[in-house]
Amino acid sequence: MTLFIILCAVIGAISLITFIFYGADKRAAIKGAWRTPERVLLSLSFFGGAVGGILGMSLFRHKTKKPLFIAVNAIGLIWQAIAVAAAAFYLL
């Protein structure tokens, strides 16, 4: 039970951070300021922050026309959902 809660908390925290990064990058793009490298956004999305990445793409209308971002967020969401489901099955 504890490991399941920790996994969900970690994925939730990374998703929140990812969402903030997408918003900050969109704001920087509008202002012409320093941008977050794409590899950082993609890494955050893939390694636990797919929900935040998808929400950031949708709400900020950011990186929505880039197929790589759509694919990485989709693949990340799939593996993260499988990880949570497996953890729920084996740990609860």
Side-chain angles (χ1 to χ4, degrees):
M1 177 93 160
T2 305
L3 290 175
F4 176 75
I5 293 170
I6 291 171
L7 175 66
C8 291
V10 167
I11 288 176
I14 296 171
S15 286
L16 178 62
I17 292 166
T18 304
F19 180 78
I20 292 167
F21 266 77
Y22 272 78
D25 190 52
K26 177 65 176 194
R27 185 176 182 152
I30 292 169
K31 292 186 173 208
W34 178 85
R35 305 280 305 277
T36 303
E38 287 188 350
R39 69 180 175 273
V40 171
L41 296 174
L42 290 167
S43 296
L44 284 168
S45 291
F46 185 77
F47 294 110
V51 172
I54 291 168
L55 287 173
M57 287 176 68
S58 299
L59 293 175
F60 301 123
R61 295 187 181 143
H62 191 49
K63 304 287 188 188
T64 57
K65 295 183 180 177
K66 296 210 171 203
L68 182 61
F69 277 83
I70 295 167
V72 167
N73 277 291
I75 293 167
L77 183 63
I78 291 167
W79 88 254
Q80 290 160 39
I82 290 170
V84 169
F89 181 77
Y90 289 110
L91 299 175
L92 293 182

